[in-house]
Amino acid sequence: MRALVVCLNPSLDKTAVLPGLEPHRRHHLTAVLALAGGKGINAARVLRRLGGRPVVLGFTAGHNGRFIEQSVRAEGISARWVRLAEGESRTCLSVLHGGSAPTELNEVGPKVGAKDISRLLGVYRRELKGARLAILSGSLPPGVPAGIYARLIRLAKAARRPIFLDASAAALRLGLAAGPDLVKLNEEEALSVGLGPRRLLPKGETDIVVTLGAQGAVGRLGGALIRCVPPRVKALSPVGCGDTFMAGLAWSLARGSDPAAALSYATALATASAMVLGAGVFRKGDLAGVLRRVRVC
């Protein structure tokens, strides 16, 4: 399956592990992992590991940009980068310190100009022609208008390609109004647009899924309200689990799974990803074991 994954603000992602975090103290890390990241790259990593053929599209700049480009290529993921003449692709640091959620420190990304956006739109139009579906995922770097996802959604609909959205803030609100086929939100994002686990009101033809962390996910898919609850597992890192969920949902739906099966698969995949270190990374044995124990409500 060839999927176009738009990741406008990719990053050099570092995940650091330490026993505990105390202010004003020196800490010694017990593990560090560096990967190319950003929500779209994390999703593309999952699709590639599942046997898909994702193509990532986004902006890169500076030394970090070269690291991102080389790392994505080394993972066997195709990419179409719009290289910026100035600036530096961002670094994002997630610190796992024994709590249920990591401490995250994210840079905003390089400044993007109007000509750069025009170049990206041209590549997007070309790549849509050969894609089975498109995923729009993640934050926007400075200079990119909040309505960019809405514009990309309209282009995908005109090309009759299924389009999935995973965004936040104004980009989410404007993108949702453009009518994507599916939007994935966490609880905070859902509340920001007047939705929630108990209030999935119709939004035109758009399917809506809200992820609930270790509690699973609830969605309105194909007109049916579905809740999936994963089993309890020994979680190591929740970093990137939402991105893994989105990739699993897109993969399963594109392969013809019914809504309940697709939501179960995405829930199991995100849960399996939480059991290992690295966004978009999972063990197939964990996935199979978790999937057998996901409950559909």
Side-chain angles (χ1 to χ4, degrees):
M1 180 186 73
R2 187 177 178 86
L4 178 58
V5 185
V6 176
C7 183
L8 298 180
N9 205 12
S11 57
L12 190 172
D13 277 8
K14 287 189 175 182
T15 303
V17 182
L18 69 164
L21 183 63
E22 297 180 41
H24 317 300
R25 294 284 300 273
R26 178 180 296 172
H27 299 81
H28 296 282
L29 304 176
T30 58
V32 178
L33 176 67
L35 292 170
K39 294 175 72 64
I41 289 180
N42 297 340
R45 178 176 295 120
V46 174
L47 293 173
R48 183 70 183 90
R49 287 169 176 257
L50 290 173
R53 295 180 295 118
V55 178
V56 177
L57 172 60
F59 301 106
T60 56
H63 296 290
N64 284 351
R66 281 189 283 275
F67 172 87
I68 292 166
E69 293 167 7
Q70 293 167 4
S71 296
V72 167
R73 184 166 56 249
E75 292 189 55
I77 300 171
S78 298
R80 306 291 183 265
W81 301 116
V82 174
R83 182 83 182 168
L84 306 179
E86 298 180 351
E88 188 73 46
S89 291
R90 62 188 180 137
T91 296
C92 296
L93 175 63
S94 296
V95 183
L96 301 173
H97 46 82
S100 59
T103 297
E104 299 187 5
L105 304 169
N106 296 343
E107 295 179 353
V108 298
K111 180 68 178 294
V112 177
K115 291 183 178 179
D116 302 312
I117 295 171
S118 180
R119 289 167 56 201
L120 181 129
L121 289 171
V123 178
Y124 179 79
R125 289 187 181 95
R126 291 195 298 273
E127 290 297 326
L128 267 179
K129 296 177 182 178
R132 177 90 168 268
L133 60 88
I135 298 173
L136 311 178
S137 192
S139 65
L140 307 180
V144 176
I148 186 68
Y149 283 154
R151 187 171 183 180
L152 297 180
I153 288 166
R154 289 191 290 270
L155 289 171
K157 292 174 72 173
R160 298 187 178 182
R161 295 294 186 274
I163 182 79
F164 296 172
L165 176 65
D166 183 2
S168 60
L172 168 61
R173 293 192 297 273
L174 295 172
L176 186 56
D181 292 276
L182 182 144
V183 61
K184 184 203 75 71
L185 316 96
N186 60 32
E187 288 187 88
E188 181 180 351
E189 292 161 348
L191 291 172
S192 75
V193 292
L195 300 172
R198 294 180 176 84
R199 189 169 180 267
L200 295 180
L201 296 179
K203 290 283 183 180
E205 299 298 320
T206 299
D207 285 336
I208 298 169
V209 176
V210 179
T211 55
L212 308 171
Q215 303 305 310
V218 60
R220 198 200 71 236
L221 294 165
L225 189 63
I226 306 165
R227 172 79 184 271
C228 288
V229 181
R232 290 186 178 182
V233 299
K234 185 176 181 180
L236 178 62
S237 171
V239 177
C241 287
D243 313 328
T244 302
F245 181 98
M246 172 60 111
L249 189 60
W251 170 265
S252 192
L253 290 172
R255 290 166 64 86
S257 297
D258 64 69
L263 198 64
S264 295
Y265 187 80
T267 300
L269 194 56
T271 303
S273 181
M275 297 169 68
V276 297
L277 192 65
V281 179
F282 61 92
R283 294 181 292 245
K284 292 186 177 180
D286 291 338
L287 172 59
V290 172
L291 184 57
R292 287 194 295 269
R293 295 182 289 156
V294 171
R295 291 189 295 111
V296 179
C297 306

